[in-house]
Amino acid sequence: MFRLQGVGKTFPGKHGTVTALDGIDLDIREGEVFGVIGRSGAGKSTLLRVLNLLERPSAGSVLLDGEELTALPAPALRAVRRRIGMIFQHFNLLASRTVADNIALPLELAGVPRARVSARVDELLELVGLTAQRDRYPAQISGGQKQRVGIARALANEPRVLLCDEATSALDPETTQSILELLADINRRLNLTIVLITHQMQVIKAVAHRVAVLEDGRIVEAGDVADVFTAPRETLTRTLLREVIGDDIPPGVHERVAALARGWGSRGALWRLSLRGEAVDAPLLAELSSLFSVRAHLLHGYIDEVRGVPFGSLVAALHGSEADLADAAAWLTTRGVRIEEIAA
Ligand SMILES: Nc1ncnc2c1ncn2[C@@H]1O[C@H](COP(=O)(O)OP(=O)(O)OP(=O)(O)O)[C@@H](O)[C@H]1O
């Protein structure tokens, strides 16, 4: 659907040119929920705004269904933009209009006849669960309800894609969850492509099918969410993942077991084992002890699931000869386990 090729964006800054995007290559597929995650200043908003040319790239091309958007004359670009809905962190509702009238606005701007507007607004209110709030003003509804209005308004003109700019960052965790469920539901029911940017891995975990990790204007890692969650390659991705999967070893526990492993000298090691799929269900540590002269002291573990794929991590202190530990590591690798040595 969208294809970005070599997209760059620079801004003039106080201390010289700021590079917000640098050589972005990206494909976003029809019907998927595509997430972009990164720290503040990574270039997420700029990337999202490049998709509808609210920001014109300084380099590269932005293709929508094979059509180069940067080459379109203004009227054609306006027509394309009508098919790209957008929602925002702070909702951007008109305070003087009711819920129903906020949703009606893009239809009125598109010249839809009045009777049709009213029927369409009713459909949209029902879709986002706000029928009872139709005559309230933004000041009289909650943050989550405001975002529902934002979503209904963005869907009014039946867009092909919905761009979400930190759509849940201003919401509490429970409301965030309900908005993410609504987005997932809309994606499924309408087969609507959704592109969302966020700094929260839990948002990616809850709704995205694929994810790109952005750092300093570059994509450092991208792929299916299950793959990125279970086998992250980049340090930044691992750091971001720790926010959701909490696999930090409590310091006191780490110190006790590290002291034990240090006492074993070259006959000891501290490993973090990353597992996914079938490996999660297998009694790996028991098998390890029966196959090799290696004892495993389990230190820490968690298990989770993302897009139906179970994954987890175990931290264990291993005791055995160097040769046995090497054999054990090789065997675990054949079982699809990734091993990371932790300093004792
Ligand atoms: N209009 C602008 N003028 C100058 N610099 C800009 C402009 N827009 C963005 N930048 C700079 O480009 C870089 C990327 O900004 P961007 O807002 O895309 O990042 P972000 O990942 O969305 O950050 P945040 O999560 O804080 O919104 C930053 O260094 C920012 O200061």
Side-chain angles (χ1 to χ4, degrees):
M1 175 173 217
F2 276 113
R3 170 162 289 180
L4 269 54
Q5 289 173 326
V7 166
K9 177 72 190 177
T10 54
F11 293 104
K14 253 196 221 146
H15 311 288
T17 305
V18 178
T19 302
L21 297 176
D22 185 9
I24 300 284
D25 295 317
L26 194 63
D27 272 312
I28 295 170
R29 302 173 192 151
E30 181 112 44
E32 75 176 342
V33 180
F34 191 93
V36 177
I37 186 159
R39 298 267 191 233
S40 182
K44 303 179 297 293
S45 301
T46 309
L47 177 56
L48 196 73
R49 292 161 61 84
V50 155
L51 294 177
N52 57 5
L53 287 203
L54 281 179
E55 260 346 320
R56 279 200 171 257
S58 321
S61 59
V62 182
L63 300 161
L64 178 59
D65 298 330
E67 191 167 41
E68 173 56 81
L69 295 189
T70 56
L72 290 181
L77 183 58
R78 274 199 298 277
V80 168
R81 281 205 185 117
R82 263 203 288 279
R83 307 303 306 279
I84 305 178
M86 192 157 178
I87 58 172
F88 308 90
Q89 179 175 0
H90 297 297
F91 325 119
N92 300 3
L93 305 182
L94 294 182
S96 60
R97 282 185 163 235
T98 62
V99 163
D101 289 346
N102 264 284
I103 298 171
L105 188 65
L107 296 163
E108 291 166 10
L109 293 175
V112 175
R114 193 178 286 256
R116 177 78 196 111
V117 169
S118 165
R120 179 79 182 126
V121 168
D122 286 346
E123 270 169 34
L124 290 159
L125 283 166
E126 183 160 351
L127 181 73
V128 299
L130 284 184
T131 303
Q133 284 76 23
R134 61 169 302 135
D135 296 322
R136 295 210 191 154
Y137 287 88
Q140 299 169 321
I141 59 177
S142 70
Q145 289 171 332
K146 284 180 194 160
Q147 195 55 289
R148 284 171 188 268
V149 179
I151 292 170
R153 181 183 57 184
L155 297 181
N157 282 317
E158 298 182 28
R160 299 195 44 213
V161 52
L162 179 65
L163 308 181
C164 309
D165 187 355
E166 296 277 5
T168 54
S169 296
L171 304 174
D172 63 56
E174 210 173 303
T175 313
T176 291
Q177 200 51 39
S178 79
I179 292 295
L180 294 175
E181 279 166 21
L182 176 63
L183 290 175
D185 184 52
I186 287 168
N187 164 254
R188 272 192 307 268
R189 279 166 58 179
L190 310 180
N191 193 36
L192 181 74
T193 310
I194 296 181
V195 185
L196 55 87
I197 61 166
T198 180
H199 62 277
Q200 297 171 305
M201 219 26 146
Q202 51 267 44
V203 170
I204 301 291
K205 178 167 179 260
V207 285
H209 301 123
R210 290 196 306 139
V211 61
V213 182
L214 202 62
E215 187 175 29
D216 295 333
R218 294 177 159 272
I219 292 175
V220 293
E221 180 156 7
D224 284 349
V225 167
D227 292 337
V228 172
F229 269 65
T230 55
R233 290 194 319 265
E234 294 296 317
T235 312
L236 172 62
T237 316
R238 287 199 199 108
T239 311
L240 292 167
L241 278 171
R242 297 228 158 102
E243 290 166 12
V244 266
I245 55 190
D247 68 345
D248 281 341
I249 311 156
V253 179
H254 182 275
E255 190 33 52
R256 273 198 307 281
V257 183
L260 185 69
R262 280 197 298 272
W264 295 336
S266 65
R267 296 182 66 82
L270 268 186
W271 288 350
R272 184 192 302 277
L273 311 176
S274 302
L275 330 161
R276 66 174 288 178
E278 284 172 11
V280 171
D281 303 328
L284 284 175
L285 294 185
E287 287 181 32
L288 192 77
S289 297
S290 71
L291 290 169
F292 308 95
S293 296
V294 165
R295 255 187 3 249
H297 295 239
L298 188 58
L299 220 180
H300 189 81
Y302 77 88
I303 205 144
D304 205 341
E305 196 178 51
V306 64
R307 310 228 71 81
V309 179
F311 71 101
S313 139
L314 301 176
V315 177
L318 286 302
H319 179 264
S321 71
E322 269 181 67
D324 278 322
L325 288 173
D327 287 349
W331 176 79
L332 283 168
T333 308
T334 65
R335 301 293 304 264
V337 176
R338 202 166 49 83
I339 302 172
E340 198 187 328
E341 183 119 23
I342 303 175

